[in-house]
Amino acid sequence: MIHSALPIIHLLRLTAVITGIGVSIVCARAEAVSTATPLTTEALSFDRIATTDLPALKNSLEKAGWPDSHIRALLGLEVQRRLNPEPVLRFEDLKPFHFWHTGPDSLPVSNLNTPELVKARTAREELVRAKYDELFPHAETETGLLDRWEEQRRWGDLPADKRAQVLALLDRSARARDDFLESRGRMLNPQEWETLWQTNHDTRRQLEQLLTADELLDYDLRNSNTAARMRNELDAFAPTRDEFIAVFRLRHPLELAFEDKPHGGDPAIDAQREAAEKSALEKTAALLGPARFDDYLISLDPVCQTLRFDGRHARTDAATVRRLYRSFLNAKQRLASLDTQPLPEREAAATSLKAGIHREFRTVFDEEATRRFLQEQSLWP
């Protein structure tokens, strides 16, 4: 017993030593804080800030160790105060109320959006922006960050000269379409629609000549309607990069061939579209293999897409959503098979099935999300 107690005694002593060191450090820090020079009223005087040249104020704050975010916030407010101050409304500025006055005349203030006032306000806002840009020439706003992201999303690694050529091509095409629509009062007959769509086909051919095969594929993966639909439809599928490209190669030709041919317009074209879609689906099945193709198919189901949307909020992965969706489909099928059983047995089995699917969903979703989905699908216990 004595030997077994020795380690505990040593541990207690060591803890006491460490605790003492910790207390000493805390006390030393507290003493350092307490001995720091207190802020004086003069140091915090707003008059000093308000009368200091803005570049000098920025320089002083930087030397004092202020974070960039705080400097931007303070100087942003000060620039606004100096160059475009908010008007101070006083009671004597309000118009007296007369019950027989109508429209704007019955309001407490006059119209603040007259052309003269708007022009003056715009001029002041431009002064504010110019001064802020002068103080922070390299500051990147949230809008600027999103613009850069959008540029990367749209172009990837496409060289600048190619980007300019593509933009010029798309601009010419857009202006040609707009001019054609305007010349027809934006009311086209079937033949004129064919002419308009031909403009799109011509643009596509020029784009294919302008870009290499790899550049064109990358551009389409970023900008085509097919790719956008796939990003929306296949969230529950969660494709790899290679899977996305492979499926895209099968689906994108359908867009190019039939995007200008509405369903029901021509039975022969509808038959061609149906055959092309069937062929693309068969090739997709062969490409993905049975398991992933089944994942692909259920991800196209709007109900599965709804479940995946809820899964995003629950921070669960696509595989879990697919598992729950398959359980949901199985429960629906088993419920349908109960129709031939006697009523008491059918009700008992249905209650058991619904309770089971409820328990499984609750392992992933909260009660509200579970109830909402199962009620919509008539599976609420």
Side-chain angles (χ1 to χ4, degrees), residues 169-170 173 177 197-211 213 216-217 219-221 223-224 248 252-253 255-256 259:
L169 170 62
L170 297 178
S173 177
R177 285 195 302 271
W197 282 111
Q198 188 59 45
T199 302
N200 290 349
H201 297 321
D202 293 342
T203 301
R204 178 67 188 185
R205 281 195 293 271
Q206 294 177 60
L207 190 63
E208 291 170 351
Q209 295 170 1
L210 180 61
L211 302 178
L216 182 63
L217 174 62
Y219 178 83
D220 286 337
L221 286 166
N223 298 285
S224 68
F248 176 83
H252 190 227
E255 175 192 333
L256 298 178
E259 68 173 341

Side-chain angles (χ1 to χ4, degrees), residues 41-234:
T41 303
E42 182 182 2
L44 295 173
S45 170
F46 180 72
D47 287 340
R48 294 186 63 183
I49 293 176
T51 56
T52 300
D53 179 66
L54 289 173
L57 179 59
K58 178 190 176 189
N59 186 50
S60 297
L61 294 174
E62 289 173 342
K63 288 182 177 179
W66 278 48
D68 287 344
S69 59
H70 290 52
I71 296 174
R72 294 182 197 280
L74 175 60
L75 290 185
L77 290 171
E78 188 58 15
V79 169
Q80 184 75 25
R81 186 191 68 81
R82 296 186 187 188
L83 301 181
N84 189 23
E86 292 289 337
V88 178
L89 190 65
R90 302 169 302 172
F91 183 77
E92 52 266 31
D93 297 325
L94 303 181
K95 297 184 299 182
F97 174 73
H98 299 294
F99 63 85
W100 63 91
H101 285 184
T102 58
D105 294 337
S106 65
L107 299 177
V109 293
S110 300
N111 182 15
L112 299 179
N113 290 316
T114 63
E116 296 79 10
L117 291 176
V118 170
K119 183 178 180 180
R121 189 162 59 242
T122 301
R124 292 195 302 271
E125 290 170 354
E126 290 176 353
L127 282 175
V128 168
R129 282 194 294 270
K131 176 56 70 174
Y132 189 87
D133 291 342
E134 177 186 328
L135 289 168
F136 304 102
H138 303 298
E140 187 162 34
T141 63
E142 182 176 313
T143 302
L145 290 172
L146 291 175
D147 288 343
R148 276 207 295 154
W149 180 90
E150 173 59 21
E151 184 176 356
Q152 186 275 333
R153 181 211 65 79
R154 185 178 187 185
W155 300 111
D157 297 326
L158 191 67
D161 60 330
K162 289 284 187 76
R163 297 184 188 187
Q165 294 176 60
V166 172
L167 280 173
L169 170 62
L170 297 178
D171 183 60
R172 289 195 303 271
S173 177
R175 282 189 281 108
R177 285 195 302 271
D178 287 342
D179 291 345
F180 184 78
L181 285 169
E182 289 297 331
S183 68
R184 303 301 193 276
R186 296 188 174 272
M187 299 291 290
L188 307 184
N189 60 40
Q191 290 74 28
E192 290 170 335
W193 274 114
E194 288 290 337
T195 302
L196 186 65
W197 282 111
Q198 188 59 45
T199 302
N200 290 349
H201 297 321
D202 293 342
T203 301
R204 178 67 188 185
R205 281 195 293 271
Q206 294 177 60
L207 190 63
E208 291 170 351
Q209 295 170 1
L210 180 61
L211 302 178
T212 67
D214 289 342
E215 289 171 343
L216 182 63
L217 174 62
D218 188 71
Y219 178 83
D220 286 337
L221 286 166
R222 296 170 181 277
N223 298 285
S224 68
N225 292 331
T226 299
R229 278 196 296 270
M230 287 175 60
R231 282 188 282 272
N232 287 329
E233 293 175 353
L234 302 183

Side-chain angles (χ1 to χ4, degrees), residues 306-323:
T306 298
L307 190 61
R308 178 57 176 145
F309 179 83
D310 292 340
R312 285 288 188 178
H313 286 279
R315 299 181 182 276
T316 192
D317 57 32
T320 300
V321 169
R322 294 195 301 268
R323 173 179 60 79

Side-chain angles (χ1 to χ4, degrees), residues 254 257-258 261 266-278:
L254 300 178
F258 298 104
K261 300 174 177 62
D266 185 327
I269 292 177
D270 287 346
Q272 293 173 12
R273 179 190 293 106
E274 184 178 350
E277 290 174 347
K278 180 180 178 182

